[in-house]
Amino acid sequence: GVAWSIGMWQRELVRAAVRGGGAGSPRAASVAAASQLRRVLESQLEDIRGSGTWKNERVIASRQGPHLRLAAGGDGILNFCANNYLGLSSHPEVIRASVEALEKFGAGLSSVRFICGTQSIHKDLEEKIARFHQREDAILYASCFDANAGIFEALLTPEDAVLSDELNHASIIDGIRLCKANKYRYKHMDMEDLEAKLQDAQKHRLRLVATDGAFSMDGDIAPLREICQLAQKYDALVFIDECHATGFLGPNGRGTDELLGVMDKVTIINSTLGKALGGAAGGYTTGPKPLIDLLRQRSRPYLFSNSLPPAVVGCASKALHLLMESNAIAQSMAAKTQRFRSKMTAAGFTISGKDHPICPVMLGDARLAAVMAEDMLNRGIYVIGFSYPVVPKGKARIRVQISAVHSDEDIDRCVEAFTEVGRKHGALP
C-alpha cells in the first residue's frame, strides 16, 4: 500500500545517505540545500553587521542586581539596563521562597495545567494576582509574550474588532495577527485617530482597545483616562499590557490604571512576573472570571505549555507578598527616576518619556548608540544601545533603567560617565 511504499522510500534515503551516493543522490541534494541556506543566512547576518545593529550578548557571572561581575572580566560593574525595577530578583526573602518551593514541590511539573500540572501554589499565586489588581480571577502563563499570544485569538472572532496602538509591544502585535478579528491600528497615543477608528468599528460586535500601559522603548505612559473615556463613549473594552508598570507605578504599585485612576474602567490586564515581580519568568492575564475560564479552555499557549516551575511560582508569590505588605519600595522609585532624568537633561541629553524609570537617552544614530554603550562599559556602566528593528530607523537610543536598589551615588556616577562619553563622541557640545 501507500504507507508501505513511503516507508520503503524513506529507508532507501537513509541507506543512500549512509553510502554517500552520487551527485544526484538525496544526500547530495540535501548538502546543496544546506549550502544555499548557509549563503542566504550569512548574507543576512552581514547586512545586520553592516548596518551597525548587531546585538552582542554580554555574559554575566553573578546574580542580577545593581552591581554585576562579567564573565569577560570586571567586578563592580554598575547595571543600568535591567527590568529589575524593585531590586527583588536578588532579594533574600524572594530567593528563600524560591528554594523552599523547589524543595517542597520539585523542579517542574513535566505537564500542562489541565493534565497533571496544577499545584496548590499555582492556584494561590493566581488568587494573589487577582487580589493585587482587584480583579475577579487570573491565569498564569510561561511568559507575558505567551499571555499576549493567547488572549486575542481565544477572545475575538471575525465579528469583533481590535484597535491597537502602532507602537505596542511585539507580543501584542503578534497576538493580534493570530486572531481573526477586524484589525485597526491607531497612531501612537493619538486620541483623535483612536476615536475615528472607534467610529468606523461600530459595526462590529465587540470592540477591544489594546495598548501598552507604559511603552518599553520610550518610557511614555498611555493616556488611559482619555482611552477609557472613548471606550465608554463607543461601548468598547480596554486591554492594557502592564509589563513595565506592574509593581512600581501608582501609589501601591498596581500599574498605570491605578496611577491614572481608572482601575474600574480597564477590563483586562496582561503582565509579567519576569520584571519587577521577582524577575524570574512567567506572565498572566487578570480580569473577569468568565474570560479567565474561557482562556483555560481555549488559549493555546496555556493549553500546550508546561506549567510554571515551582521555584518561579515561589519567588513571584513572595515578591507580590512584599509589595502588598508595603508600598515603600515602589514609592522609592519616583525620587531616583527624577534624579537621573533631571541631571541628564541638565547635562544636555534628550531623555524620552516622562516620570518613568525607563529613561531612553536619544541619540538617533545606531552606530553612535552602539559605540557609546561600549565606551560606557569601559567606564564600568552596563547599558545597551537600541536601534532598528527594535526601534524605528533614526530613533536609536541607549535605554537606561533605574532600579529601587540604585543608590544616589550609583546614579550620579552613571550621569558623569554619560557626560564624558557624550562629549568624546560628539553627542554633547
Side-chain angles (χ1 to χ4, degrees):
V2 175
W4 180 87
S5 299
I6 292 174
M8 286 293 290
W9 175 73
Q10 289 173 329
R11 284 193 287 275
E12 282 302 311
L13 285 181
V14 172
R15 292 192 187 103
V18 171
R19 290 195 302 267
S25 70
R27 182 183 179 190
S30 67
V31 169
S35 297
Q36 182 185 24
L37 172 64
R38 182 176 291 273
R39 288 193 299 271
V40 169
L41 295 177
E42 287 178 347
S43 175
Q44 292 178 0
L45 294 173
E46 190 56 39
D47 288 344
I48 295 173
R49 291 188 185 94
S51 68
T53 61
W54 185 268
K55 298 163 189 63
N56 292 306
E57 295 182 359
R58 297 168 179 167
V59 181
I60 298 170
S62 63
R63 66 177 59 181
Q64 183 67 269
H67 300 266
L68 300 175
R69 185 176 76 256
L70 299 182
D75 290 328
I77 302 294
L78 274 176
N79 181 13
F80 274 92
C81 59
N83 297 317
N84 185 26
Y85 294 112
L86 300 179
L88 296 180
S89 63
S90 297
H91 193 287
E93 289 187 48
V94 172
I95 294 172
R96 193 177 307 117
S98 180
V99 171
E100 289 173 356
L102 178 67
E103 292 177 340
K104 182 175 181 181
F105 291 97
L109 278 299
S110 306
S111 181
V112 299
R113 289 284 298 269
F114 80 93
I115 298 178
C116 60
T118 299
Q119 292 175 321
S120 57
I121 52 173
H122 294 96
K123 300 303 293 182
D124 291 344
L125 178 55
E126 287 169 337
E127 186 277 331
K128 190 175 289 186
I129 288 169
R131 184 156 39 93
F132 175 71
H133 285 285
Q134 298 180 2
R135 297 305 195 276
E136 293 178 10
D137 201 358
I139 180 173
L140 291 170
Y141 287 87
S143 68
C144 191
F145 202 112
D146 277 350
N148 286 340
I151 188 167
F152 301 104
E153 183 181 25
L155 175 62
L156 302 175
T157 74
E159 297 180 66
D160 306 316
V162 57
L163 304 94
S164 176
D165 188 293
E166 65 180 350
L167 293 188
N168 276 340
H169 191 268
S171 59
I172 298 177
I173 295 169
D174 285 358
I176 289 173
R177 283 174 178 160
L178 290 171
C179 79
K180 295 180 180 179
N182 298 273
K183 301 170 181 67
Y184 296 80
R185 186 174 66 172
Y186 63 92
K187 296 174 185 176
H188 182 49
M189 300 199 305
D190 186 327
M191 295 300 97
E192 288 186 9
D193 193 37
L194 174 58
E195 182 165 19
K197 299 291 195 302
L198 280 167
Q199 290 171 347
D200 190 43
Q202 287 301 290
K203 54 184 173 286
H204 303 299
R205 184 188 63 165
L206 296 177
R207 291 160 295 283
L208 178 68
V209 180
T211 181
D212 280 345
F215 290 84
S216 61
M217 285 298 111
D218 291 300
D220 46 6
I221 297 170
L224 284 184
R225 291 194 190 100
E226 293 82 357
I227 288 173
C228 290
Q229 286 170 359
L230 287 174
Q232 188 169 9
K233 180 178 179 180
Y234 293 100
D235 196 23
L237 305 166
V238 177
F239 162 97
I240 54 174
D241 178 311
E242 288 285 78
C243 286
H244 291 278
T246 298
F248 56 92
L249 287 188
N252 299 289
R254 289 188 170 92
T256 54
D257 61 338
E258 183 188 47
L259 177 72
L260 298 174
V262 291
M263 289 186 71
D264 60 334
K265 295 179 175 61
V266 172
T267 309
I268 307 165
I269 292 173
N270 276 13
S271 194
T272 183
L273 305 172
K275 293 182 171 56
L277 301 183
Y284 59 84
T285 296
T286 185
K289 189 176 188 310
L291 169 65
I292 304 304
D293 289 342
L294 179 69
L295 293 176
R296 293 193 195 280
Q297 303 302 314
R298 296 278 181 83
S299 181
R300 292 167 70 86
Y302 177 82
L303 289 168
F304 298 106
S305 296
N306 264 16
S307 309
L308 270 183
V312 172
V313 177
C315 72
S317 185
K318 175 56 70 172
L320 264 177
H321 172 78
L322 293 172
L323 198 55
M324 289 192 284
E325 190 176 55
S326 169
N327 66 356
I329 302 177
Q331 289 295 306
S332 73
M333 291 297 303
K336 295 177 187 293
T337 298
Q338 178 59 29
R339 185 182 187 92
F340 179 81
R341 283 179 170 272
S342 62
K343 283 179 173 284
M344 286 290 286
T345 301
F349 288 102
T350 298
I351 310 299
S352 182
K354 181 181 179 183
D355 301 332
H356 194 283
I358 292 175
C359 304
V361 183
M362 303 304 293
L363 299 169
D365 182 72
R367 290 181 183 277
L368 177 62
V371 170
M372 281 185 60
E374 284 299 321
D375 223 354
M376 289 289 287
L377 185 60
N378 294 334
R379 287 166 169 75
I381 309 295
Y382 190 138
V383 289
I384 295 292
F386 286 81
S387 55
Y388 182 83
V390 180
V391 296
K393 289 182 179 180
K395 295 291 183 71
R397 80 282 308 268
I398 292 175
R399 187 180 71 173
V400 176
Q401 287 165 277
I402 306 300
S403 171
V405 288
H406 282 131
S407 67
D408 288 348
E409 291 74 20
D410 293 339
I411 292 171
D412 293 347
R413 182 178 154 196
C414 182
V415 174
E416 289 168 8
F418 259 113
T419 304
E420 292 174 8
V421 171
R423 286 175 180 156
K424 175 182 175 181
H425 294 284
L428 289 179

